[in-house]
Structures are given as structure tokens and as C-alpha cells.
Amino acid sequence: GRIYRLVHQARPRQSPPDIARENTGAWVERLAHANGFWRDTAQRLLVERGDRSVVPAVRGMALGHGSELARLHALWTLEGLAAIDPAVVSRALQDVSPKVRVAALRVAEPFLPDPSFARAVLRLASDPRLEVRRQLVFTLGEGKGPAFEDALVALVHADMDKPVTVEAAV
């Protein structure tokens, strides 16, 4: 069979980047690309190359880019480079995007033994979005101590009518 590529006349075809020749820093900008393939590829290449010289640029994107998807990919890129720090995660826990807050909860788990950081995580128990509270239930399972157990019980009690919360707690 033949493979045809249908392209809109008003939209010129973009040529793919030369991955082998581009430096690692050029891929940081692609974490904010409109096409999900390029965002995923940029994240994968940045993590695989392990070039920590891009950490400041990725951190800046995670903290203040206008696109929630760019902030999300930047957060996971930092985690993949083992360059995630409590300051970035604390800011991401307060992000306007629930997707970023969920990701921040996931990458926050190694920092839970710090009491001040644990308090920042526990504040999300009153988050208006169910997906954030559900992830918090999972994250609380990684914490140790009565504060985490009390928060878990309170979340399950508050969202008893939401099967996803009960299943997450189980």
C-alpha cells in the first residue's frame, strides 16, 4: 500500500530538527512546543543526555512558563535529571494548574520527612480538584507519622462518595 500525507495548503510543512547536531540547550525550548511529540521527545532527550548545564533553564521554565504543559514537562525533566529541589516543588504545589499540582505531589514524596515541607503538602487536603486530592491520598501513603494518617482519614471521610478516593486509600 501507499502512504499519503495530507497537508493543509495554508500550513507549510515543518522540517524536523537535526537531533544529532543540536546542543542539549536547544531542547529546553521544545518542552513548551505545541506538538506533544516534540515535548515528549525533548524531555526524553534531556533526561537521557543527563547534561545538568540545562538545569537553570529548565528550573526557570518549571517556575514561570505560561504553558501548563511546559511547566509539567519541565518539572518531570528536573526529576529525571535528579535536579528537583524543595523550592521548585513548593512553588509547583501552589500552581494554578491541577495537572502541575498532581505532578508536584508525586515528585514531593522524597521530601516528606521535612516537617515544613510536609505541611505544604498537607495543605492540599482542601484542594478544590478531586484529582489533586486523589493524588494526595497516594502521596500520604509515603509519609510517616500521625499527621499523615490523620490527613488520610480526613480525606477519605470527606470524599467518601468518590470511589476513586476510597480505592486510592485502600
Side-chain angles (χ1 to χ4, degrees), residues 11 48 76:
R11 194 169 176 190
E48 283 177 359
W76 283 114

Side-chain angles (χ1 to χ4, degrees), residues 55-65:
V55 168
V58 176
R59 183 179 286 125
M61 185 175 281
L63 292 174
H65 199 277

Side-chain angles (χ1 to χ4, degrees), residues 81-132:
L81 290 170
I84 197 76
D85 61 70
V88 172
V89 178
S90 293
R91 288 265 308 271
L93 288 170
Q94 301 169 19
D95 198 276
V96 297
S97 167
K99 292 177 184 178
V100 175
R101 292 193 306 272
V102 167
L105 281 168
R106 291 179 65 190
V107 299
E109 292 172 0
F111 305 115
L112 289 176
D114 177 1
S116 63
F117 194 81
R119 282 191 295 277
V121 167
L122 292 172
R123 279 188 217 113
L124 290 177
S126 61
D127 196 278
R129 298 296 299 256
L130 178 61
E131 62 264 36
V132 176

Side-chain angles (χ1 to χ4, degrees), residues 3 5 7 17 35 38 67 73 76 82 89 97 101-102 104 107-108 110 125 148 151 154 156:
I3 299 174
R5 176 173 287 166
V7 180
N35 186 320
W38 292 117
S67 165
H73 280 277
W76 283 114
V89 178
S97 167
R101 292 193 306 272
V102 167
V107 299
F148 294 103
V156 171

